[in-house]
Amino acid sequence: KEGVGEQEEKIKSPFWFQSLSKSNCGRDENSHRPMAMGDSVPTPRISVHQAFGGGLVADVLLWRKWCGGVVMLASATTFWCLFELAGYSILSFVANVLLLLVVILFFWAKSASLLNRPLPPLPNLEISERTAGKIADELQVWVNIALSIAHDITLGRNLKLLLKVGVALWFVSFIGSFFSFLTVIYIGVILSLSVPVLYDKYQHHIDEKLSVTNKIIQTQYRKIDETVLRKLPLPSKKEKKMQ
């Protein structure tokens, strides 16, 4: 039964969670224990690079390919300054850029035919079936997770899950009241280019702080669960079967 449950969780979980769980499976309870005098095996570390897939995205986020990180940061900063500070409209900006691109390509091709020069080197503008399949698979995982949560809240009447989702949505609404959507995306880009690098460098110290914080949160949650949540009237299993 445990093997079947693990396989079901693997199917429902996104790829980054599977990578993190694989890199974390070799750790034991004493992974963060400082080395004693007789220990010869160093403390294992989570591979942040493998947790992000170990590909180009991981190289950019961890600044192993600094050119990609610089381009991503410069592009995000330029777009944020244009649309947030200068007040440009995204729709008008995209339309003007496409219009300028089409005009340049048209006159380039026209002059090339008159002067016997090569045509503009345009790539094959189409999405392959493999790329579309990967995108669809990732979307399917996230949509299934969202539908599973909605099913547990509405039909399963999972009060604890409802409170978690409610707090998360309230936090998003609270953040959205201070920043615009574009600013939130820009902050997300900055965090994605800084947090993974810091965690990869100071992983041991961060894990210790997170462990202490997790214990405090779990203690407070148990108190709320014992004093409030367990006293709320919930439908019995017989009532659920009748429904």
Side-chain angles (χ1 to χ4, degrees):
K1 294 182 179 178
E2 293 179 356
V4 175
E6 292 178 357
Q7 291 179 358
E8 292 178 355
E9 289 183 359
K10 187 176 181 181
I11 294 174
K12 293 182 180 179
S13 302
F15 73 96
W16 55 267
F17 184 80
Q18 297 177 16
S19 300
L20 184 59
S21 61
K22 288 180 180 178
S23 60
N24 203 13
C25 64
R27 302 173 62 191
D28 55 5
E29 296 178 353
N30 300 322
S31 59
H32 293 293
R33 178 177 56 84
M35 292 180 62
M37 294 295 295
D39 292 339
S40 59
V41 180
T43 303
R45 288 169 53 90
I46 297 175
S47 176
V48 182
H49 188 266
Q50 292 298 325
F52 283 103
L56 179 61
V57 176
D59 293 336
V60 172
L61 294 180
L62 295 176
W63 290 88
R64 297 187 179 183
K65 290 188 176 181
W66 61 271
C67 294
V70 170
V71 170
M72 185 176 177
L73 180 61
S75 302
T77 304
T78 302
F79 277 94
W80 183 77
C81 292
L82 283 175
F83 300 131
E84 193 68 22
L85 299 182
Y88 280 94
S89 173
I90 297 179
L91 184 61
S92 61
F93 177 80
V94 172
N96 291 331
V97 169
L98 291 177
L99 176 61
L100 180 62
L101 181 62
V102 169
V103 170
I104 291 175
L105 292 177
F106 174 78
F107 283 105
W108 187 350
K110 199 71 174 177
S111 61
S113 61
L114 294 175
L115 300 175
N116 292 327
R117 303 291 295 178
L119 294 174
L122 287 177
N124 189 13
L125 302 178
E126 64 179 11
I127 300 177
S128 63
E129 295 183 0
R130 183 178 179 182
T131 303
K134 289 183 178 180
I135 296 174
D137 292 339
E138 292 297 329
L139 289 177
Q140 181 184 8
V141 171
W142 288 103
V143 170
N144 287 337
I145 292 174
L147 292 177
S148 177
I149 293 174
H151 180 273
D152 292 340
I153 292 176
T154 55
L155 299 181
R157 300 181 183 181
N158 192 333
L159 182 58
K160 297 179 182 180
L161 184 59
L162 175 62
L163 293 177
K164 293 179 182 179
V165 173
V167 170
L169 293 178
W170 174 84
F171 181 75
V172 172
S173 176
F174 180 76
I175 296 297
S177 62
F178 292 98
F179 306 102
S180 64
F181 181 69
L182 187 61
T183 303
V184 172
I185 294 178
Y186 181 64
I187 293 174
V189 173
I190 299 298
L191 292 177
S192 65
L193 292 175
S194 57
V195 173
V197 178
L198 293 176
Y199 180 75
D200 188 50
K201 188 175 182 180
Y202 305 103
Q203 184 180 137
H204 180 69
H205 300 286
I206 294 175
D207 285 345
E208 289 181 350
K209 302 299 182 182
L210 290 178
S211 178
V212 174
T213 305
N214 183 51
K215 291 179 180 178
I216 295 174
I217 294 175
Q218 291 294 333
T219 303
Q220 297 299 323
Y221 178 78
R222 290 192 191 97
K223 292 181 179 179
I224 297 175
D225 186 31
E226 293 175 357
T227 56
V228 179
L229 298 180
R230 293 186 180 180
K231 294 181 180 180
L232 294 176
L234 296 176
S236 62
K237 295 182 179 179
K238 294 182 178 180
E239 293 179 357
K240 290 182 180 180
K241 290 180 179 180
M242 291 294 295
Q243 293 176 357

